[in-house]
Amino acid sequence: MGSLNGTSIFRMPFFYVDLTSWAFTGQQKAHVVTDSISSLDAERLKLSSCILNRTIIHPNVEEAMKSYRKELFFQVPTRRAFINITPQVEECLRESGIKEGFVLCNAMHITASVFINDDEPGLHHDYEVWLEKLAPHAPVSQYKHNVGEDNADAHMKRQVMGREVVVAVTKGKLDFGTWEQIFYGEFDGRRKKRVLVKIIGE
Amino acid sequence: MGSLNGTSIFRMPFFYVDLTSWAFTGQQKAHVVTDSISSLDAERLKLSSCILNRTIIHPNVEEAMKSYRKELFFQVPTRRAFINITPQVEECLRESGIKEGFVLCNAMHITASVFINDDEPGLHHDYEVWLEKLAPHAPVSQYKHNVGEDNADAHMKRQVMGREVVVAVTKGKLDFGTWEQIFYGEFDGRRKKRVLVKIIGE
Amino acid sequence: MGSLNGTSIFRMPFFYVDLTSWAFTGQQKAHVVTDSISSLDAERLKLSSCILNRTIIHPNVEEAMKSYRKELFFQVPTRRAFINITPQVEECLRESGIKEGFVLCNAMHITASVFINDDEPGLHHDYEVWLEKLAPHAPVSQYKHNVGEDNADAHMKRQVMGREVVVAVTKGKLDFGTWEQIFYGEFDGRRKKRVLVKIIGE
């Protein structure tokens, strides 16, 4: 809080108005205040404040819910792959400016997965072998879905690994245990596919 | 923003006050303003505004969090079935008025699933065969849970397919990839069961 | 709403200001108002209000998003176990004071699970047998991940059962069907591990 010609000003993170140009001449004041407000782009500033006489009273705008959305793109040259996308999700979180909330990260395709596990190549090999045992790709003729395509097994592998993760955001960071990393699991690649990152919070 | 007898009015989606009845007679003004405010049902209007002199300053009420809840009911005549519930969830979203946020859609029963995949009957047949292989219904005697009931396999099938989905809401729509559809997966039907749709956002 | 010397006061849950000390002497008023506001700890009070002339106008602070975070700790003496953590999550929800929103509850370790199912020992036995069949622990040499450790199967079992649950909060309660209970699924125990409870809402 600063003081300007006897005027108290609350300055908070998202909002600042320079009052130096205000006249203070009785009734005239009202009009000047009105003009000052009018000249603000309320939408742009996310105006959540009022000006009383010569005091700016700034409510807790930081409490308001914010949202952020971004699509990540992948074109995997092989049919199957696991890709660590944690750095991209962290970049999204930084861009969002959100400090407390949830990140939803989901495959936008039904033959792919987003999941959280270990960034260890031996484990990824084990997953590949294990998923192929649980839901074998071949013979493709064993699946009714495979009329004109051959990816029925990918729809199954994705159900085992999951479509989405929801991650807590705390103090502006992904709130993770030591080894948690976010992966894109591709089960029917060799074409452009998308992952959605949606963040809500404050 | 409109102008009314030299009075600036900010009109925003959720809030409108007619100022035409206000007097503006020096000190009298304060009382009239007070009366005007008093006559509002602040709760009903979700009042998040103030009136300064003759200017309504409307903060970003739209940023405040809203929530919505609805139960969907299903009585499937067979033991197992997959039902596309996307239209019902979309209807919930419309009713909620929420434009940015998350939809949680979950089975309220532990022998059923809500999942996202393809609306293709061949694939649903493949899921049925595959889940029966991963967690066979018979012989029911193989499961300790089956004392007085026979649905242990349904508790397993539901874990493979998942209890819930969280879907992003963007500009008032389910933020989906091309082929994403929400399904209710019934694994122990022939009785009335419920799905919860809960939406939070702004 | 009360009345104090002809001054209307909106009192709402989070906010109360005693106006009795205010003078009301024309221009003097502005300064007194300013002083009154200055004496408030705006941050502490989550000030989201303004004072107009002699009326407190209190916006819907209750609509603002709140967040809560807690870690739960587990040290399971066996390799595998299922532990009902519903009472602990309910306690977190009470502490949070959140009435409408979402609870995220996730394992912070990648060899453990948080899932929702039935609190029935027969079923838990069936899950143990079934998961061991889907992703056998032995022989440990079958997994490339098992270099210096032997928990590759735990990484797989956790994917089948899931990392996390998202639960709706309605009227301050976990919005559950009759038999829904939250479990911590340990697949590589005998050491201290953590579960995250993060709640957002209002």
Side-chain angles (χ1 to χ4, degrees):
Chain A
M1 197 179 76
S3 184
L4 196 61
N5 300 329
T7 302
S8 294
I9 309 174
F10 288 80
R11 292 182 199 183
M12 298 226 184
F14 298 160
F15 192 62
Y16 173 72
V17 178
D18 184 359
L19 298 188
T20 52
S21 62
W22 288 16
F24 187 78
T25 57
Q27 210 47 251
Q28 177 67 22
K29 178 188 57 144
H31 296 284
V32 175
V33 169
T34 299
D35 290 350
S36 298
I37 293 290
S38 301
S39 70
L40 294 172
D41 178 353
E43 269 303 307
R44 187 173 57 80
L45 284 172
K46 301 276 183 207
L47 180 62
S48 189
S49 303
C50 64
I51 295 175
L52 171 67
N53 293 306
R54 292 191 304 169
T55 302
I56 296 177
I57 301 169
H58 187 95
N60 54 337
V61 174
E62 307 96 306
E63 296 285 313
M65 207 197 84
K66 291 195 282 186
S67 68
Y68 170 95
R69 177 194 195 274
K70 193 169 197 172
E71 291 181 9
L72 310 178
F73 293 90
F74 300 93
Q75 179 142 9
V76 174
T78 52
R79 184 183 293 273
R80 290 193 286 275
F82 298 119
I83 298 168
N84 189 337
I85 62 173
T86 315
Q88 284 139 287
V89 178
E90 284 171 339
E91 178 60 24
C92 289
L93 183 53
R94 270 191 296 275
E95 280 177 22
S96 77
I98 289 172
K99 300 301 180 196
E100 298 291 325
F102 288 163
V103 176
L104 168 68
C105 186
N106 67 266
M108 299 184 79
H109 296 256
I110 52 192
T111 51
S113 178
V114 170
F115 67 95
I116 287 172
N117 219 293
D118 198 0
D119 196 358
E120 199 279 297
L123 180 66
H124 296 180
H125 170 88
D126 295 336
Y127 274 146
E128 161 67 17
V129 172
W130 176 65
L131 289 168
E132 191 57 26
K133 200 176 105 192
L134 289 186
H137 176 71
V140 297
S141 62
Q142 75 190 293
Y143 302 113
K144 292 213 175 181
H145 180 61
N146 288 340
V147 175
E149 48 189 343
D150 65 356
N151 65 6
D153 66 302
H155 290 273
M156 289 161 190
K157 286 165 172 138
R158 115 68 169 257
Q159 288 306 121
V160 175
M161 298 304 276
R163 166 190 179 259
E164 80 219 8
V165 295
V166 177
V167 181
V169 176
T170 302
K171 294 181 183 168
K173 304 282 186 191
L174 298 176
D175 197 334
F176 268 162
T178 312
W179 301 104
E180 289 190 283
Q181 295 282 295
I182 308 173
F183 288 88
Y184 174 64
E186 177 62 85
F187 304 115
D188 186 39
R190 301 174 296 184
R191 54 193 171 107
K192 195 176 177 189
K193 291 169 92 170
R194 291 181 292 158
V195 162
L196 179 64
V197 180
K198 181 93 182 190
I199 312 174
I200 68 170
E202 66 186 20
Chain B
M1 197 178 75
S3 186
L4 198 60
N5 302 327
T7 301
S8 294
I9 308 173
F10 288 80
R11 292 183 200 183
M12 298 227 183
F14 299 160
F15 192 62
Y16 173 72
V17 177
D18 184 359
L19 299 189
T20 52
S21 61
W22 288 14
F24 187 78
T25 56
Q27 209 50 250
Q28 177 65 22
K29 177 189 57 146
H31 296 284
V32 174
V33 169
T34 298
D35 291 351
S36 298
I37 292 290
S38 301
S39 71
L40 295 172
D41 177 352
E43 270 303 307
R44 185 173 58 80
L45 283 174
K46 301 275 183 209
L47 180 62
S48 190
S49 302
C50 64
I51 294 174
L52 171 66
N53 294 307
R54 292 191 303 170
T55 302
I56 296 176
I57 302 169
H58 187 94
N60 53 337
V61 174
E62 309 96 303
E63 295 285 313
M65 210 197 81
K66 292 196 281 186
S67 67
Y68 171 95
R69 177 194 195 275
K70 192 167 198 173
E71 292 182 8
L72 310 178
F73 293 90
F74 301 92
Q75 180 140 7
V76 174
T78 52
R79 184 183 292 273
R80 288 192 288 275
F82 298 119
I83 298 168
N84 189 337
I85 61 172
T86 315
Q88 284 140 289
V89 179
E90 284 171 339
E91 178 59 25
C92 290
L93 183 53
R94 271 192 295 274
E95 280 178 23
S96 76
I98 290 171
K99 300 301 180 197
E100 297 292 324
F102 287 164
V103 176
L104 169 68
C105 185
N106 67 265
M108 300 184 78
H109 296 257
I110 52 192
T111 51
S113 178
V114 171
F115 66 94
I116 288 173
N117 219 294
D118 198 1
D119 197 358
E120 198 279 298
L123 180 66
H124 296 179
H125 171 87
D126 295 336
Y127 274 147
E128 162 67 18
V129 171
W130 176 65
L131 289 167
E132 190 57 25
K133 199 175 104 191
L134 288 187
H137 175 72
V140 296
S141 62
Q142 73 190 296
Y143 302 113
K144 292 212 174 179
H145 181 61
N146 288 340
V147 176
E149 48 190 343
D150 64 356
N151 64 5
D153 66 303
H155 290 272
M156 289 159 192
K157 286 164 172 139
R158 113 71 168 255
Q159 288 306 123
V160 175
M161 297 304 276
R163 166 188 179 260
E164 80 220 7
V165 295
V166 177
V167 181
V169 176
T170 301
K171 296 181 182 168
K173 304 283 187 191
L174 298 177
D175 197 335
F176 267 162
T178 313
W179 300 105
E180 290 191 283
Q181 295 283 296
I182 308 174
F183 288 88
Y184 174 64
E186 178 61 87
F187 304 115
D188 186 39
R190 300 173 298 185
R191 54 195 171 105
K192 194 175 176 189
K193 292 169 91 168
R194 291 181 291 159
V195 162
L196 179 64
V197 180
K198 181 93 181 187
I199 311 174
I200 68 170
E202 64 185 21
Chain C
M1 197 179 76
S3 185
L4 196 61
N5 300 328
T7 301
S8 294
I9 307 174
F10 288 80
R11 289 182 203 185
M12 299 226 184
F14 298 159
F15 191 63
Y16 173 72
V17 177
D18 183 358
L19 299 188
T20 53
S21 62
W22 287 16
F24 188 78
T25 58
Q27 208 50 247
Q28 179 66 22
K29 179 187 56 147
H31 297 284
V32 175
V33 169
T34 298
D35 291 351
S36 297
I37 292 287
S38 300
S39 70
L40 296 172
D41 178 352
E43 269 304 305
R44 186 174 57 80
L45 284 173
K46 301 273 182 210
L47 180 62
S48 191
S49 303
C50 65
I51 294 174
L52 172 66
N53 294 306
R54 290 191 305 171
T55 302
I56 296 176
I57 302 169
H58 187 95
N60 53 336
V61 174
E62 308 96 303
E63 295 285 313
M65 208 197 83
K66 292 197 281 187
S67 67
Y68 170 95
R69 178 194 194 275
K70 192 168 200 173
E71 290 182 9
L72 309 178
F73 293 90
F74 300 92
Q75 181 141 8
V76 173
T78 51
R79 184 183 293 272
R80 288 192 287 274
F82 299 119
I83 298 168
N84 188 337
I85 62 173
T86 315
Q88 285 139 286
V89 179
E90 285 171 338
E91 177 60 23
C92 289
L93 183 53
R94 271 192 295 276
E95 281 177 22
S96 77
I98 290 172
K99 300 300 180 197
E100 297 291 325
F102 288 163
V103 176
L104 169 68
C105 187
N106 67 267
M108 299 183 80
H109 296 256
I110 52 193
T111 51
S113 179
V114 170
F115 67 95
I116 287 174
N117 219 294
D118 198 1
D119 197 359
E120 198 281 295
L123 180 66
H124 297 180
H125 170 87
D126 295 335
Y127 274 146
E128 162 67 18
V129 171
W130 177 64
L131 289 168
E132 191 57 25
K133 199 177 107 192
L134 288 187
H137 176 71
V140 297
S141 62
Q142 75 191 293
Y143 302 113
K144 291 212 174 179
H145 180 61
N146 288 339
V147 175
E149 47 190 343
D150 65 356
N151 64 6
D153 66 303
H155 291 272
M156 289 160 190
K157 286 163 172 141
R158 113 71 168 256
Q159 289 307 122
V160 175
M161 298 304 275
R163 166 190 180 257
E164 80 220 9
V165 294
V166 177
V167 182
V169 177
T170 302
K171 295 180 183 169
K173 305 282 186 190
L174 298 176
D175 197 334
F176 267 163
T178 313
W179 301 104
E180 289 190 283
Q181 295 282 295
I182 307 174
F183 288 88
Y184 175 63
E186 178 62 87
F187 304 115
D188 187 39
R190 301 173 298 184
R191 55 193 170 106
K192 193 175 177 188
K193 291 168 94 169
R194 292 181 292 159
V195 163
L196 179 64
V197 180
K198 181 93 183 188
I199 312 175
I200 68 170
E202 63 185 22

